Amino acid sequence: MDYRLPTSRLDELGTVSQNVNHMAEQLQKQVERERQLESSRMELITNVSHDLRTPLTSIIGYLDLLKKQAFQGEEERERYIHNAFNKTQQLKTLIDDLFEYTRLSHGDVQMNFQEVDFHSLIEQMLSEFEPVAREQGVNLIKALSPDPVIMSIDAEKMVRAIDNLLMNALKFSIIPGEIRVNLFSGGRVVKLSIENQGNPITKEQEEQLFERFYTMHTLQSDGNMPSGYGLGLSIAKNVVELQGGRIWLDHHEGYYKFNIELKRPIANNRGKKVLYGEHGE
């Protein structure tokens, strides 16, 4: 694969040499892609095995203590039950995220596009998110364009993507701090940005943020704000791109601004308003 024929001749044999070299380069690239895919699959299996085993080991440990009645008093028994339940919730979250990520990344997903007032949808999500942020010592600032923003999207999946970005901003915000949400609509372009102040990261870390299973130490390390499994931003990226949009990060010395840009047909400026229940469910 590494060998290349000399191409100095200008006759038919020179042309054959060029074609053979081109074929070898294409085969070499294909082999390399297959190696990368295999490496990625092995990495996925390793990470999933580790992340599933960790909470499962804790659950088994707590259940074993309860089975042997190795606790001192009712209070300690309740604590064991509470901890075991929390670990099962972590397991469920991981499995749900894995299932969602696998479906989105392999295209095995049905998009349910409907005309939605994106402005009202964001307002509704932020009204539910604000008490959670306040409890963690973070102030929510809204800068939303006042007019309705009617567009055709899969609202349930878009809510999942935006919720992941909001929770990511909350986990990595300096306390006390603030999260700023901007919604701008101009012509066919609709742009949503979520900003927060956190610890600075390197350029290499920036480039890996949207990769699956890439995790960083959160600034909110208590039990109410788990660090997650590094799938939230990957899911958000897939959801946005499946709806014809793009997502990216602007970062400078700890100032983070995650951006979502969507385009809408002009014809969608008029239409019925579709509202959803809590988090679009």
Side-chain angles (χ1 to χ4, degrees), residues 160-211:
R160 177 73 181 273
I162 296 170
D163 187 62
N164 286 352
L165 293 178
L166 288 171
M167 294 306 296
N168 182 78
L170 183 56
K171 290 174 185 177
F172 293 96
S173 285
I174 293 175
I175 304 302
E178 63 183 36
I179 294 174
R180 182 180 181 90
V181 180
N182 307 283
L183 177 62
F184 168 80
S185 174
R188 291 188 60 193
V189 176
V190 177
K191 183 176 178 181
L192 175 72
S193 64
I194 298 172
E195 308 170 32
N196 72 288
Q197 188 75 32
N199 289 336
I201 58 175
T202 65
K203 196 67 178 178
E204 291 74 19
Q205 288 174 312
E206 284 184 43
E207 294 171 355
Q208 297 180 74
L209 280 182
F210 289 101
E211 293 183 6

Side-chain angles (χ1 to χ4, degrees), residues 51-192:
D51 285 344
L52 287 174
R53 184 173 58 185
T54 301
L56 185 58
T57 300
S58 296
I59 292 169
I60 293 171
Y62 285 121
L63 291 179
D64 186 56
L65 291 172
L66 290 168
K67 181 180 178 181
K68 295 177 180 178
Q69 298 188 355
F71 49 83
Q72 298 178 354
E74 188 66 19
E75 183 178 341
E76 192 170 62
R77 175 179 173 274
E78 289 297 322
R79 181 163 58 85
Y80 288 170
I81 293 174
H82 176 74
N83 290 344
F85 178 77
N86 284 344
K87 294 298 179 181
T88 61
Q89 295 301 105
Q90 290 182 22
L91 262 182
K92 182 180 183 302
T93 299
L94 174 58
I95 292 170
D96 289 345
D97 283 349
L98 280 170
F99 180 70
E100 185 73 9
Y101 174 81
T102 303
R103 286 201 312 147
L104 291 169
S105 60
H106 287 81
D108 182 24
V109 59
Q110 294 293 323
M111 304 298 287
N112 181 27
F113 289 99
Q114 299 182 57
E115 284 198 344
V116 177
D117 182 355
F118 197 54
H119 175 273
S120 296
L121 188 64
I122 298 300
E123 280 275 20
Q124 186 173 333
M125 289 189 66
L126 295 182
S127 67
E128 298 166 7
F129 175 74
E130 190 167 15
V132 179
R134 192 184 307 118
E135 185 178 334
Q136 297 295 324
V138 175
N139 185 36
L140 181 63
I141 300 176
K142 296 179 284 186
L144 311 181
S145 55
D147 299 325
V149 182
I150 306 299
M151 56 191 308
S152 181
I153 58 172
D154 187 321
E156 183 177 351
K157 291 181 177 61
M158 186 59 71
V159 164
R160 177 73 181 273
I162 296 170
D163 187 62
N164 286 352
L165 293 178
L166 288 171
M167 294 306 296
N168 182 78
L170 183 56
K171 290 174 185 177
F172 293 96
S173 285
I174 293 175
I175 304 302
E178 63 183 36
I179 294 174
R180 182 180 181 90
V181 180
N182 307 283
L183 177 62
F184 168 80
S185 174
R188 291 188 60 193
V189 176
V190 177
K191 183 176 178 181
L192 175 72

